[in-house]
Amino acid sequence: MAFLERLFGRKDDAAALYRAVVERAREPQWYQTGGVADTIDGRFDMIAAVLSIVLLRVEAEPGAEALGVALAERFVDDMDPQLREIGIGDIVVGKHVGKMMSMLGGRLGAYRAGLAAGSIDAALLRNLYRDRDSGEAALAHVRGRLMALHASLAKTPLDALKAGRIA
């Protein structure tokens, strides 16, 4: 067992929750109605958006730090083989994973700030649409779905989250 797993908890604690995040991020409605690019980058951005909303919920739960750490570790464990599959070599995979973690951290901060300010539009335009014009209807769709997820998660008990229920 790795040092961080002993210190903060097991990655397995977040397995069901991370699967639920990825399943939610892969829903066709994000790409079809929401106008998110159905590309490798677009799928990463959508996973990062949903994961950010979930991590913000976990962050709000006193004593749930271990779950947040385990969820971030699951993200790394998922991204590493994805990079290898698209042809990133062993020598630079770590650098790419580090960049992805930095990107996730930036998105987490942007969504946190947007939620605190009352609008996640700027975070969506920059981080999900990468400053391309998505159209108001697409933006409204994604905003509505992510805000509904945020509201739903606020009412979801921690045990349900750990079980992967992110209705």
Side-chain angles (χ1 to χ4, degrees), residues 91-150:
I91 296 173
V92 294
V93 163
K95 183 184 275 189
H96 283 277
V97 169
K99 183 177 177 186
M100 291 172 133
M101 284 301 296
S102 177
M103 292 168 73
L104 176 63
R107 283 157 172 77
L108 186 60
Y111 291 118
R112 181 186 297 115
L115 288 167
S119 174
I120 62 171
D121 286 6
L124 292 172
L125 290 170
R126 178 179 170 126
N127 298 302
L128 189 61
Y129 294 107
R130 298 191 184 209
D131 295 321
R132 69 176 171 76
D133 183 13
S134 61
E136 181 52 39
L139 177 63
H141 174 79
V142 171
R143 175 194 325 115
R145 293 294 301 261
L146 286 176
M147 293 304 293
L149 175 62
H150 175 67

Side-chain angles (χ1 to χ4, degrees), residues 9-163:
R10 298 189 44 82
K11 287 188 280 189
D12 292 343
D13 291 346
L17 181 53
Y18 187 75
R19 270 193 308 276
V21 165
V22 172
E23 287 172 11
R24 176 66 60 95
R26 288 183 175 166
E27 291 175 354
Q29 52 89 18
W30 300 115
Y31 308 94
Q32 295 167 356
T33 308
V36 175
D38 193 4
T39 62
I40 291 170
D41 287 343
R43 287 174 183 248
F44 168 82
D45 294 335
M46 199 63 243
I47 288 171
V50 173
L51 182 57
S52 292
I53 299 299
V54 171
L55 282 168
L56 290 171
R57 164 59 182 93
V58 170
E59 192 178 86
E61 183 77 27
E65 296 84 8
L67 179 60
V69 169
L71 199 52
E73 288 178 351
R74 279 278 164 200
F75 174 75
V76 169
D77 289 348
D78 184 29
M79 293 301 114
D80 183 281
Q82 301 295 332
L83 288 168
R84 293 173 195 279
E85 190 173 304
I86 62 170
I88 304 295
D90 289 342
I91 296 173
V92 294
V93 163
K95 183 184 275 189
H96 283 277
V97 169
K99 183 177 177 186
M100 291 172 133
M101 284 301 296
S102 177
M103 292 168 73
L104 176 63
R107 283 157 172 77
L108 186 60
Y111 291 118
R112 181 186 297 115
L115 288 167
S119 174
I120 62 171
D121 286 6
L124 292 172
L125 290 170
R126 178 179 170 126
N127 298 302
L128 189 61
Y129 294 107
R130 298 191 184 209
D131 295 321
R132 69 176 171 76
D133 183 13
S134 61
E136 181 52 39
L139 177 63
H141 174 79
V142 171
R143 175 194 325 115
R145 293 294 301 261
L146 286 176
M147 293 304 293
L149 175 62
H150 175 67
S152 173
L153 289 172
K155 300 174 195 166
T156 305
L158 187 61
D159 288 342
L161 287 176
K162 286 181 180 179

